[in-house]
Amino acid sequence: MLAHLSISNFAVVKQLSVQLEDGLTAITGETGAGKSIAIDALSLCLGERADANAVRKGAAKAEIIAHFSLSGNSAAKTYLDEHELTSDEDENSCFVRRVVSKEGRSKAFINGVPASLQQLKGLGQYLLAIHGQNTHLQLLKEDHQRSLLDTYAKHTSQIDTVEHAYSNWKEKQRMLQSLKEQAQQREDRLQLLTYQVQELDEFAIEEGEFEELEVEHKRLSNGQSLLEQAQTSVYNLYENDEGNALAVIQNSIERLGELEAHDASLTPIISLLNEASIQVEEAASELRSYCDQLEIDPLRLQQVEARYAKAMELARKHAVMPEALFQHHQMLASEFSALGEQETLLGTLELEVDNMHAQYLAATKALSESRSCAAVNLAKDIEAQIQQMNMPHAKVAIDVLYDEFKKPSSTGLDNIEFNVSTNPGQDADKLEKVVSGGELSRIGLAIQVIASDNHTTPTMIFDEVDTGISGPTASIVGALLRRLGSQAQVMCVTHLPQVAAQAHNQLFVTKLTDGESTETQMLALTKQDRIDELARLLAGDKITKSALANAKELLKSAASN
């Protein structure tokens, strides 16, 4: 519950500090005094956007501090724990602070820890529910009617199932649509790849083959020259009888050997020549083998030239280096295979989309059945409430119409209609076609009270929701709010004495001005103060003895209920 509210330099409030109590608290005051100022401050404190207009003229900043008691509020405690915002001093207390500068910048704190607007709103749903003056008009909208019915039904799991099924279905639809949109582009690419891959498959170049072709082509092209030069080298190194390299070396070894006894420094030279002799003889042997193995094969040369030329042609056609032709072939083949798989995936996705649509329809039908059951009970509860509010002949029917051909949404396929008949013999019809403004207010209040019975929010604020209600009906509305106040903390901004008299506590809002500035104050009323204020609400500015007597009677009657 809301334990304390402190407001500084907010709008027309200079300084305001209010202690809040359990039960029903009525907030009254003169027209234009700012009775809704506390509600506006709380809205700001719990995540509403702020601007510079929120700051009192002449002040540097506005500040709102709300102290909530969390006793019995496990949902709020869990939220604070999950976001590491729990108070170190008292886990049963929560302080929310919002500061707005005159430039329009704002800061927020939860238990002294900086917080985002999203965190304020997330926590606020477990602390406070505000029902404003426009709430009744929301009743005319189908979305709001559906939301009220779902809140009453408490079928969160069915709603989550529908949302999940819808999300999965739409995602698969998006993937399918994307593949279909790319179909022509994919078909054109497949046609090109079919030709390119087939051509490369037929050529079937191996990895590293082009480099080998290049080497073999050079050898075959220069085969005759290689053979002639190799044979000449063998002749000059070993076979020339008139003089060859080996003979010259051996002759030098013999001559130097004769001189070695005279000069030992020739020994290393003779060793080198011996090694050279051996190497020349081995080289000559290797060259003979090379000549024996070297083939002059015009047919093979023709084959190599043809394959080499084809590789060069394909490389130019595909704009790659000949050495990269193999890798390019593998890449195109992989792409061709992937595009073929996409064609298969297209058929698979179509089946998955159909299956997910069927799952979505099954989930929406289950949700619709749950809504239909809840609609019967909610209609009975609303009817019972409004019949007590001077609408004795009212009949309420909530129709849940399942439409499989309706545009799908995450909320299901139901059309929700709140239909009302207010007079005997009158056919039930949509709210906007039947009820007056006052009747709509009564129906709206009844629905809010019923919805609040099903809600876990410990504090509820009603901002002039009794507009358009008067006389005996106002007393019934007041009793309804008092009953609600026995279950939770309720605050009600009202101008009706019959409603204010039913409150367990009463706050009076007054506006003071010195001609240059205006200041709003909120005062807790004593029992005598309440009698005077109720008399003012009954009689206007001129309070009569009769009005005072009526005020006392109203308080006495409320206390006895």
Side-chain angles (χ1 to χ4, degrees):
M1 60 167 280
L2 179 62
H4 187 270
L5 179 65
S6 175
I7 305 173
S8 299
N9 296 317
F10 176 72
V12 294
V13 174
K14 183 177 182 181
Q15 185 67 45
L16 181 64
S17 181
V18 184
Q19 191 77 25
L20 285 308
E21 305 294 340
D22 287 335
L24 173 62
T25 298
I27 301 175
T28 61
E30 298 177 357
T31 301
K35 294 188 291 296
S36 299
I37 200 73
I39 298 175
D40 295 337
L42 282 170
S43 297
L44 186 66
C45 203
L46 295 178
E48 288 297 320
R49 292 196 172 277
D51 55 41
N53 294 329
V55 182
R56 180 179 169 85
K57 185 177 180 180
K61 64 180 181 179
E63 181 179 59
I64 301 102
I65 302 174
H67 173 209
F68 294 90
S69 171
L70 301 183
S71 297
N73 193 340
S74 59
K77 289 180 181 180
T78 300
Y79 184 90
L80 292 173
D81 287 340
E82 289 176 349
H83 294 80
E84 298 182 351
L85 296 169
T86 303
S87 172
D88 295 332
E89 298 178 0
D90 183 3
E91 66 173 10
N92 287 320
S93 287
C94 177
F95 287 86
V96 181
R97 176 171 169 249
R98 186 82 182 273
V99 180
V100 182
S101 71
K102 64 180 180 180
E103 293 80 19
R105 295 188 296 270
S106 74
K107 296 179 181 179
F109 304 87
I110 298 176
N111 289 325
V113 180
S116 65
L117 294 186
Q118 184 177 1
Q119 287 175 321
L120 290 181
K121 291 180 179 180
L123 176 62
Q125 65 181 320
Y126 303 115
L127 299 176
L128 189 80
I130 297 176
H131 304 277
Q133 298 178 43
N134 295 325
T135 304
H136 304 330
L137 298 178
Q138 295 292 320
L139 280 175
L140 304 179
K141 299 180 179 179
E142 182 181 340
D143 287 348
H144 189 65
Q145 293 176 359
R146 182 184 61 249
S147 178
L148 285 171
L149 178 57
D150 287 339
T151 299
Y152 179 85
K154 296 181 180 179
H155 46 210
T156 307
S157 60
Q158 287 96 325
I159 293 174
D160 290 343
T161 300
V162 169
E163 289 178 350
H164 185 67
Y166 177 78
S167 177
N168 288 342
W169 176 44
K170 294 301 289 184
E171 177 61 20
K172 288 295 181 182
Q173 271 193 325
R174 184 195 64 77
M175 293 173 60
L176 179 61
Q177 184 62 30
S178 178
L179 280 178
K180 286 183 175 180
E181 289 174 354
Q182 297 169 9
Q184 186 59 53
Q185 181 181 357
R186 190 167 56 252
E187 179 62 29
D188 294 342
R189 182 63 177 164
L190 269 173
Q191 289 182 0
L192 175 62
L193 286 176
T194 300
Y195 166 74
Q196 290 180 330
V197 172
Q198 182 179 357
E199 185 178 41
L200 290 171
D201 284 346
E202 290 174 355
F203 186 62
I205 192 168
E206 300 291 338
E207 187 172 12
E209 181 184 351
F210 181 80
E211 290 86 342
E212 295 175 359
L213 280 173
E214 196 168 29
V215 171
E216 187 177 7
H217 181 263
K218 288 180 180 179
R219 187 176 67 250
L220 291 172
S221 298
N222 297 280
Q224 189 62 41
S225 296
L226 289 171
L227 180 61
E228 291 175 357
Q229 292 301 326
Q231 289 174 340
T232 300
S233 296
V234 171
Y235 182 77
N236 290 331
L237 288 173
Y238 191 80
E239 295 178 350
N240 188 351
D241 294 335
E242 295 180 358
N244 57 69
L246 181 61
V248 171
I249 293 172
Q250 289 176 341
N251 185 46
S252 297
I253 292 172
E254 291 176 3
R255 289 177 179 279
L256 292 174
E258 294 174 357
L259 300 173
E260 184 178 8
H262 304 297
D263 189 351
S265 63
L266 291 174
T267 301
I269 298 173
I270 293 172
S271 297
L272 289 173
L273 287 172
N274 281 321
E275 292 176 5
S277 174
I278 294 170
Q279 290 180 352
V280 167
E281 195 166 6
E282 289 180 353
S285 177
E286 290 292 330
L287 279 172
R288 278 197 297 270
S289 296
Y290 175 76
C291 292
D292 292 341
Q293 295 174 7
L294 187 63
E295 297 181 5
I296 307 301
D297 188 348
L299 179 59
R300 176 58 183 166
L301 174 60
Q302 185 178 357
Q303 292 172 345
V304 170
E305 282 184 338
R307 191 158 180 79
Y308 181 83
K310 184 64 175 179
M312 294 292 291
E313 177 189 342
L314 289 173
R316 284 193 298 270
K317 181 182 291 187
H318 290 272
V320 297
M321 297 297 292
E323 296 85 350
L325 195 58
F326 173 80
Q327 288 78 8
H328 184 67
H329 179 198
Q330 302 308 307
M331 182 189 69
L332 292 183
S334 177
E335 183 183 356
F336 181 76
S337 176
L339 288 175
E341 290 175 358
Q342 286 186 11
E343 289 296 321
T344 303
L345 177 61
L346 186 62
T348 303
L349 270 179
E350 287 176 340
L351 290 176
E352 289 183 0
V353 167
D354 290 342
N355 289 336
M356 288 187 173
H357 182 230
Q359 292 175 16
Y360 170 74
L361 290 178
T364 57
K365 287 176 181 176
L367 177 60
S368 182
E369 291 173 1
S370 179
R371 282 173 173 164
S372 296
C373 292
V376 174
N377 295 325
L378 178 57
K380 289 180 180 178
D381 288 348
I382 295 173
E383 192 174 283
Q385 290 287 357
I386 62 176
Q387 283 179 355
Q388 298 177 31
M389 290 189 251
N390 202 25
M391 295 176 67
H393 305 294
K395 298 294 180 182
V396 178
I398 300 176
D399 294 333
V400 179
L401 307 174
Y402 184 79
D403 183 2
E404 188 172 326
F405 300 101
K406 181 181 178 181
K407 182 179 179 181
S409 75
S410 59
T411 58
L413 296 173
D414 291 320
N415 293 311
I416 310 295
E417 292 183 0
F418 278 44
N419 296 313
V420 177
S421 170
T422 57
N423 298 304
Q426 181 185 46
D427 292 334
D429 207 340
K430 293 182 179 180
L431 286 174
E432 65 268 24
K433 295 182 178 180
V434 176
V435 299
S436 63
E439 289 172 334
L440 182 62
S441 295
R442 277 173 270 179
I443 295 171
L445 182 58
I447 292 174
Q448 289 174 47
V449 170
I450 293 167
S452 298
D453 287 340
N454 287 271
H455 207 279
T456 57
T457 306
T459 299
M460 286 164 282
I461 299 178
F462 295 89
D463 186 11
E464 296 194 20
V465 295
D466 51 12
T467 301
I469 298 172
S470 60
T473 305
S475 298
I476 296 171
V477 169
L480 195 63
L481 290 171
R482 185 180 180 90
R483 190 194 76 188
L484 189 59
S486 65
Q487 303 170 10
Q489 184 186 42
V490 178
M491 286 176 276
C492 178
V493 176
T494 183
H495 63 280
L496 297 177
Q498 297 93 331
V499 173
Q502 293 284 351
H504 302 96
N505 320 287
Q506 189 168 344
L507 298 173
F508 177 70
V509 180
T510 183
K511 182 169 62 176
L512 304 176
T513 179
D514 59 6
E516 295 182 0
S517 63
T518 302
E519 182 178 344
T520 292
Q521 295 183 345
M522 186 176 289
L523 308 172
L525 300 183
T526 64
K527 183 176 181 180
Q528 183 57 51
D529 292 334
R530 290 191 67 184
I531 293 173
D532 294 340
E533 171 60 6
L534 290 175
R536 184 191 67 78
L537 291 173
L538 286 165
D541 293 336
K542 188 176 181 180
I543 300 177
T544 64
K545 291 182 179 181
S546 176
L548 288 171
N550 286 339
K552 290 179 182 179
E553 185 61 30
L554 282 175
L555 282 175
K556 182 179 178 181
S557 177
S560 64
N561 291 336

